[in-house]
C-alpha cells in the first residue's frame, strides 16, 4: 500500500483576540513580560491541542509569540537594529530590521519554544525559521557591501539555530523563503544562501515559498537544496500543475489546498479535487497536504474549520486510493 | 549652474515628534469608533502641512504634497474613476509592501477630478509650486486586472485618457509640474511598445504643465525608443538600484530634463552629499544639452520618517554642492 498525503500547516496560527490585546498591553507597559509569556504558553498549548483534535500529522507551535517574521529574529541577533515604523500598506506599519554591523546569532531564538511545544504532543513538531534570502530582502542594509554578503551571514546564523533545533530533537526543519519568487534574477543567490542555512542539518528540510512568477523560476526552483518545497497551489487554482506536466516536480511538495486570504471555508469536495488533480502528476509519498500559507490572518474559528475540511478530504482520498499515513 | 531638487512621490505620514497630528492614530481610533471623518480630514491636512514645510525648510525646489490620503500609489486615483473597482491586496512588484489591485470592470471614464482638491490644499500651504503626483498610465494599467477590454492597447489607452483628463484639471488648478510614476516602464520590453505608446500618447496631447515620467527600480532601456519622441519634459531615473539607467542618459532627446534618482529611497543608509554631487557632475559631463533635477530614486514613503527627513536634507545639500562654485 502506498503511503503519503501527510497533513501539516505552513507555520503561523491566528493569535486569539485576548493574546492580541495582551501584546498591545505589553507594548504599552501595562503587563509584564512574564504575564505575556504565560498567556503565550497557554495559547500555544491550545494550538497544539487543536491540531491534534483536527488530526494533523505534523504539527507546528503556531508562532503565537512572534510578531513579524523577520523582526522576531533580528531583535534576537547582534548586528541588527529595528527601525521606526514603516508602512506596508494603507494604515499597516511594521518595524523593519536594519543591518548596522556584522549579523550574528549569539543565543537560541526558538529552541525553548520548540521544546515547549514538542513536550505537549507525541506528534512531530516542525522547527520554523525565516530564510536568509527573505531576512535579507526584508531588511534595510547599512553595513554590508552587497545583498549577497548580508544573506550569507544570515545563512550562517540560521544554520546554527537549525542545528540547535535538530540537537533538541526536531525531525523537520522549515526555513521559509516567501521573498524568493519575486526576483527571479536572484534565485541563484537564494539557492546558495538556503544551501548554507541547511548544510549539515540532519532533519527533513522544507522551504515555503509564496506565490510569484513561476513561469520564470520553474523548474530552476527545484535547485533549492531542501527535501521539500511548500507551494501555494489553491490560490492559483492549481495552475502550477501545468508546469509540473511540462517538467516533473522532483522533490517532496508541501501542497497548499486552502486559500488563506479568504474567509470562505472550502468544501471538502473542492479540496479533494485539488488533491486528486495533484495525484495525476505527483506520487502520494511526495505529497504533504497543507494550507497555501500561514493562517495568522484568519480567525481562530476559520483556521480550525478550514483545517478540518482539509483533513476530511485527505481521509477520503486516502481511503479511495488505498493510501496509508 | 543650479540643479533643482524634487521628491519622487509620496512621503511617510507619521510625525517625527510624538503628539503631533498622526493619521495612523486617527485611523486606528476611527476603527474603534472614537474618531470621525472630520478628525481624519484634520490630521490629513496637518500632515500635508508638515510634509510641505519639511521640504521647504530643507530647500526642496519643487515640493510634493506627500499623498497623505493615499493607501498605495494606485487605488486613490483608480477609486475615483468610473470603470474601476478595487479588489484584494497583492504584493507591490518585488517588495514586501502591498496595494489593492484595481480591476477594470467596465469602460473607463473620467467624470470628476480626483486629486485637484488635495493639490489646491497643498499649494495654499506652500511658497513654491507643488508638483502634482499621479500614477503613470502604463503602470496603472499593468498594476490593474483588465476584465473588460478586448485588447491591451484599448485598455491602456483608456487609462491614458483618464489620466490626461486629470492632468488637464490639475493644470487648470495651477499645477506647473505633473509627475507620473512609471515603475512598469522599467519592466517593459520592445514588444510592449504598442501598449506603452497607447497608454502614454493621450497624456501629452495639448499638455501645458511640465511633465515627469519617473521610472523607479529599473532602467527604461527596453522602451526608450518607444517613448523618446513623446513630449515629456523630464525623465526620472533610478541610478542606485538600476545603475544601467546611466546608459539611458546619452539617448535622451536634446533639451529635455533628466531627474537623477541618486538618493536611495529603499534603504536607510545615508548618502554622502559629496558623492551625490560627483554623480551629478558625471551626468553633466555626459551631456551639455540637457537640464538636470536631483531626486530620490522612488517615493520616500517606505522609509522610516526620521530617515526620510534626513534623506531630504542630504538631497538638498548635495544639490547645493553640485550647484555651487566648483561644485
Ligand atoms: Zn506564503
Amino acid at each position: 500500500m502506498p503511503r503519503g498525503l501527510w497533513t501539516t500547516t505552513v507555520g503561523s496560527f491566528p493569535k486569539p483576540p485576548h493574546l492580541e490585546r495582551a501584546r498591545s498591553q505589553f507594548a504599552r507597559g501595562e503587563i509584564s513580560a512574564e504575564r505575556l509569556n504565560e498567556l503565550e504558553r497557554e495559547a500555544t498549548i491550545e494550538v497544539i491541542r487543536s491540531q491534534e483534535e483536527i488530526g494533523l500529522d505534523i504539527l507546528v507551535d503556531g508562532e503565537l509569540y512572534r510578531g513579524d517574521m523577520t523582526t522576531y529574529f533580528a531583535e534576537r541577533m547582534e548586528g541588527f537594529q529595528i527601525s521606526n515604523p514603516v508602512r506596508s500598506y494603507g494604515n499597516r506599519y511594521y518595524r523593519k530590521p536594519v543591518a548596522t554591523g556584522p549579523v550574528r546569532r549569539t543565543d537560541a531564538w526558538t529552541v525553548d519554544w520548540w521544546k515547549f511545544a514538542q513536550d505537549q504532543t507525541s506528534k512531530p513538531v516542525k522547527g520554523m525559521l525565516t530564510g536568509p534570502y527573505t531576512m535579507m530582502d526584508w531588511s534595510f542594509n547599512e553595513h554590508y557591501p552587497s545583498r549577497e554578503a548580508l544573506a550569507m551571514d544570515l545563512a550562517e546564523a540560521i544554520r546554527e539555530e537549525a542545528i540547535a533545533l535538530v540537537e533538541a530533537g526536531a525531525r523537520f526543519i522549515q526555513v521559509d523563503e516567501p521573498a524568493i519568487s519575486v526576483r527571479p534574477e536572484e534565485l541563484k543567490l537564494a539557492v546558495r544562501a538556503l544551501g548554507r542555512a541547511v548544510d549539515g542539518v540532519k532533519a527533513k528540510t522544507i522551504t515555503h515559498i509564496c506565490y510569484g512568477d513561476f513561469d520564470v523560476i520553474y523548474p530552476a526552483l527545484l535547485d533549492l537544496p531542501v527535501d521539500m518545497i511548500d507551494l501555494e497551489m489553491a490560490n492559483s487554482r492549481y495552475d502550477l500543475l501545468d508546469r509540473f506536466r511540462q517538467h516533473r516536480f522532483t522533490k517532496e511538495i508541501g501542497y497548499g489546498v486552502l486559500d488563506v486570504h479568504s474567509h470562505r471555508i472550502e468544501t471538502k469536495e473542492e479540496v479533494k479535487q485539488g488533491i486528486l488533480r495533484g495525484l495525476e502528476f505527483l506520487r502520494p509519498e511526495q505529497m504533504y497536504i497543507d494550507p497555501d500559507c500561514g493562517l495568522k490572518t484568519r480567525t481562530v474559528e476559520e483556521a480550525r474549520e478550514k483545517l478540518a475540511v482539509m483533513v476530511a478530504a485527505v481521509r477520503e482520498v486516502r481511503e479511495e486510493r488505498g493510501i496509508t499515513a | 549652474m543650479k540643479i533643482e531638487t524634487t521628491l519622487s512621490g509620496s512621503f511617510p505620514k507619521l510625525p517625527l515628534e510624538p503628539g503631533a497630528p498622526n493619521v495612523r492614530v486617527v485611523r486606528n481610533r476611527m476603527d474603534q469608533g472614537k474618531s470621525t471623518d472630520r478628525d481624519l480630514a484634520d490630521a490629513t491636512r496637518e500632515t500635508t502641512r508638515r510634509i510641505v514645510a519639511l521640504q521647504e525648510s530643507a530647500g526642496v525646489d519643487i515640493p510634493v504634497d506627500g499623498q497623505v490620503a493615499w493607501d498605495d500609489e494606485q487605488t486613490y486615483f483608480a477609486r475615483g474613476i468610473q470603470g474601476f473597482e478595487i479588489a484584494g491586496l497583492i504584493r507591490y512588484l518585488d517588495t514586501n509592501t502591498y496595494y489593492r489591485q484595481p480591476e477594470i470592470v467596465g469602460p473607463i471614464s473620467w467624470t470628476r477630478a480626483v486629486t485637484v482638491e488635495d493639490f489646491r490644499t497643498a499649494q495654499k500651504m506652500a511658497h513654491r509650486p507643488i508638483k502634482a503626483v499621479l500614477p503613470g498610465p502604463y503602470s496603472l494599467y499593468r498594476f490593474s486586472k483588465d476584465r473588460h477590454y478586448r485588447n491591451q492597447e484599448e485598455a491602456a489607452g483608456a487609462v491614458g485618457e483618464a489620466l490626461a483628463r486629470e492632468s488637464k484639471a490639475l493644470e487648470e488648478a495651477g499645477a506647473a509640474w505633473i509627475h507620473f510614476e512609471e515603475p512598469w516602464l522599467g519592466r517593459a520590453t520592445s514588444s510592449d511598445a504598442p501598449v506603452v505608446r497607447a497608454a502614454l500618447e493621450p497624456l501629452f496631447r495639448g499638455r501645458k504643465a511640465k511633465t515627469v515620467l519617473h521610472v523607479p527600480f529599473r532602467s527604461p532601456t527596453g522602451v526608450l525608443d518607444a517613448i523618446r519622441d513623446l513630449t515629456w519634459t523630464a525623465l526620472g531615473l533610478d541610478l542606485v538600484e538600476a545603475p544601467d539607467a546611466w546608459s539611458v542618459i546619452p539617448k535622451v532627446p536634446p533639451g529635455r530634463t533628466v531627474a537623477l534618482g541618486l538618493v536611495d529611497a529603499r534603504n536607510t543608509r545615508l548618502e554622502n552629499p559629496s558623492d551625490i554631487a560627483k554623480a551629478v557632475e558625471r551626468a553633466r559631463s555626459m551631456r551639455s544639452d540637457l537640464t538636470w533635477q536631483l531626486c530620490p530614486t522612488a517615493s520616500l514613503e517606505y522609509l522610516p520618517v526620521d530617515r526620510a527627513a534626513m534623506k531630504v536634507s542630504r538631497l538638498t545639500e548635495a544639490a547645493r554642492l553640485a550647484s555651487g562654485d566648483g561644485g
Side-chain angles (χ1 to χ4, degrees):
Chain A
M1 249 195 200
R3 301 182 62 206
L5 304 185
W6 296 279
T7 54
T8 186
T9 60
V10 180
S12 66
F13 269 72
K15 295 184 178 71
H18 78 274
L19 185 59
E20 288 286 10
R21 272 197 302 280
R23 287 173 65 88
S24 358
Q25 283 170 336
F26 173 70
R28 294 194 299 265
E30 293 165 16
I31 62 168
S32 66
E34 292 71 36
R35 177 66 186 141
L36 178 63
N37 186 258
E38 198 179 309
L39 293 169
E40 286 168 347
R41 288 160 76 98
E42 282 169 22
T44 302
I45 293 173
E46 191 50 47
V47 159
I48 294 281
R49 193 168 300 146
S50 166
Q51 293 173 84
E52 287 189 321
E53 276 167 19
I54 292 164
L56 294 163
D57 298 314
I58 302 158
L59 313 192
V60 295
D61 70 12
E63 301 170 21
L64 304 176
Y65 53 92
R66 302 186 195 176
D68 179 83
M69 66 179 289
T70 52
T71 307
Y72 175 81
F73 295 100
E75 275 172 339
R76 283 160 181 76
M77 291 173 79
E78 207 174 272
F80 273 117
Q81 291 176 11
I82 306 299
S83 80
N84 283 323
V86 181
R87 185 170 80 158
S88 70
Y89 167 77
N91 213 31
R92 300 219 299 242
Y93 289 78
Y94 67 115
R95 291 175 187 273
K96 208 165 151 171
V98 189
T100 55
V103 298
R104 282 194 200 97
R105 174 182 178 272
T106 51
D107 203 359
W109 305 327
T110 61
V111 175
D112 286 348
W113 274 111
W114 180 84
K115 281 187 191 155
F116 177 77
Q118 186 63 79
D119 282 348
Q120 316 299 322
T121 178
S122 56
K123 300 250 179 102
V125 174
K126 292 194 274 191
M128 304 293 301
L129 302 169
T130 300
Y133 180 80
T134 299
M135 285 282 296
M136 175 277 290
D137 193 49
W138 293 358
S139 299
F140 293 124
N141 170 17
E142 297 190 6
H143 173 74
Y144 287 90
S146 67
R147 289 164 64 81
E148 171 158 20
L150 172 55
M152 292 313 286
D153 268 10
L154 282 161
E156 205 54 53
I158 293 161
R159 179 171 175 268
E160 288 171 20
E161 178 75 3
I163 287 172
L165 284 164
V166 173
E167 280 169 1
R171 287 154 49 202
F172 296 85
I173 299 290
Q174 184 169 322
V175 184
D176 287 339
E177 289 286 19
I180 241 174
S181 61
V182 294
R183 288 200 194 196
E185 72 279 13
E186 286 191 336
L187 187 61
K188 282 207 172 72
L189 159 58
V191 166
R192 258 197 317 280
L194 187 59
R196 184 62 193 149
V198 299
D199 187 25
V201 174
K202 294 187 173 55
K204 191 181 285 285
T205 53
I206 308 162
T207 190
H208 166 75
I209 292 175
C210 290
Y211 190 72
D213 199 350
F214 279 90
D215 283 331
V216 185
I217 62 171
Y218 191 81
L221 189 67
L222 295 170
D223 293 342
L224 287 169
V226 286
D227 301 313
M228 188 193 314
I229 302 177
D230 184 77
L231 297 171
E232 304 186 358
M233 303 299 292
N235 88 359
S236 59
R237 299 189 188 87
Y238 301 94
D239 281 354
L240 284 174
L241 290 173
D242 282 341
R243 316 247 149 66
F244 300 173
R245 185 197 308 271
Q246 287 149 19
H247 191 289
R248 198 164 62 86
F249 194 89
T250 49
K251 292 186 182 282
E252 293 177 332
I253 185 169
Y255 190 86
V257 296
L258 300 173
D259 184 353
V260 299
H261 301 295
S262 162
H263 296 288
R264 190 179 69 86
I265 309 298
E266 285 78 1
T267 65
K268 187 171 65 183
E269 198 47 39
E270 67 182 295
V271 174
K272 223 177 118 178
Q273 287 312 315
I275 298 169
L276 290 172
R277 286 179 63 189
L279 282 169
E280 293 171 29
F281 306 97
L282 300 157
R283 290 168 289 115
E285 58 271 28
Q286 259 182 302
M287 292 173 77
Y288 290 71
I289 308 300
D290 64 0
D292 271 353
C293 197
L295 290 163
K296 66 177 169 191
T297 56
R298 300 277 54 85
T299 66
V300 173
E301 293 72 29
E302 283 167 357
R304 189 178 301 149
E305 285 176 48
K306 279 177 177 261
L307 289 172
V309 166
M310 179 182 97
V311 168
V314 167
R315 283 198 180 126
E316 283 198 12
V317 176
R318 276 178 177 164
E319 215 158 279
E320 286 171 19
R321 297 290 173 100
I323 299 164
T324 56
Chain B
M1 191 174 34
K2 180 162 168 61
I3 179 163
E4 286 190 319
T5 50
T6 187
L7 298 197
S8 316
S10 56
F11 192 84
K13 303 165 194 357
L14 300 188
L16 275 162
E17 284 112 40
N22 185 328
V23 286
R24 184 189 184 195
V25 170
V26 173
R27 287 177 65 171
N28 286 337
R29 288 177 60 86
M30 283 176 79
D31 290 343
Q32 301 159 10
K34 292 180 191 159
S35 289
T36 62
D37 288 345
R38 177 72 181 275
D39 298 329
L40 182 60
D42 289 348
T44 301
R45 193 183 54 249
E46 290 316 306
T47 302
T48 304
R49 193 188 307 283
R50 184 170 70 225
I51 291 171
V52 169
L54 180 142
Q55 295 171 78
E56 293 202 323
S57 71
V60 173
D61 299 295
I62 312 171
V64 296
D65 75 355
Q67 290 164 281
V68 180
W70 297 49
D71 276 339
D72 56 47
E73 358 292 288
Q74 286 75 230
T75 44
Y76 186 79
F77 177 74
R79 226 179 265 283
I81 300 299
Q82 256 178 33
F84 275 110
E85 273 177 12
I86 306 300
L89 274 188
I90 63 170
R91 195 179 286 280
Y92 176 83
L93 301 173
D94 51 15
T95 69
N96 191 22
T97 66
Y98 294 81
Y99 72 102
R100 285 200 186 279
Q101 190 170 38
E103 291 189 351
I104 304 172
V105 295
I108 292 171
S109 155
W110 184 95
T111 53
R112 63 175 182 89
V114 181
T115 61
V116 167
E117 266 326 296
D118 296 343
F119 168 79
R120 285 206 174 99
T121 304
Q123 189 60 76
K124 272 183 221 145
M125 295 166 178
H127 303 90
R128 299 177 182 151
I130 292 281
K131 179 175 76 171
V133 178
L134 292 171
Y138 180 66
S139 296
L140 179 53
Y141 166 66
R142 285 287 174 207
F143 278 123
S144 305
K145 182 177 256 177
D146 178 15
R147 299 187 181 283
H148 173 75
Y149 288 96
R150 283 179 307 275
N151 69 63
Q152 297 192 23
E153 277 110 290
E154 201 186 335
V159 176
E161 285 295 344
L163 279 152
R165 295 285 298 274
E166 184 75 10
S167 302
K168 185 159 189 289
L170 283 164
E171 272 169 7
E172 285 164 7
W177 276 100
I178 307 175
H179 169 116
F180 298 97
E181 189 166 298
E182 281 286 19
W184 279 95
L185 289 183
R187 290 158 192 262
T189 62
S190 51
S191 66
D192 299 310
V195 185
V196 168
R197 300 270 320 183
L200 291 178
E201 272 171 356
L203 274 195
F204 302 105
R205 276 184 217 127
R207 190 80 309 110
K208 292 188 203 71
K210 294 177 178 176
T211 50
V212 195
L213 291 180
H214 187 87
V215 187
F217 316 130
R218 294 197 188 174
S219 170
T221 314
V223 284
L224 200 60
D225 286 339
I227 62 171
R228 268 168 62 97
D229 67 317
L230 297 171
T231 55
W232 40 270
T233 316
L235 183 63
L237 301 175
D238 180 340
L239 298 164
V240 178
E241 212 171 311
D244 52 329
W246 280 103
S247 69
V248 166
I249 294 174
K251 299 173 191 146
V252 172
R256 307 286 185 102
T257 298
V258 172
L260 299 164
L262 287 165
V263 170
D264 190 349
R266 289 298 184 270
N267 196 3
T268 47
R269 176 159 42 194
L270 293 174
E271 288 78 5
N272 187 336
S274 66
D275 290 342
I276 301 173
K278 275 187 209 122
V280 172
E281 227 20 75
R282 177 182 168 193
R284 280 179 172 150
S285 71
M286 292 166 79
R287 295 283 297 266
S288 58
D289 56 344
L290 299 179
T291 330
W292 309 95
Q293 290 180 347
L294 188 54
C295 62
T297 54
S299 71
L300 292 170
E301 170 92 54
Y302 297 93
L303 289 176
V305 64
D306 51 328
R307 284 297 160 133
M310 286 187 238
K311 294 249 178 186
V312 174
S313 302
R314 300 274 167 131
L315 178 79
T316 51
E317 204 182 322
R320 280 192 287 275
L321 285 177
S323 307
D325 353 1

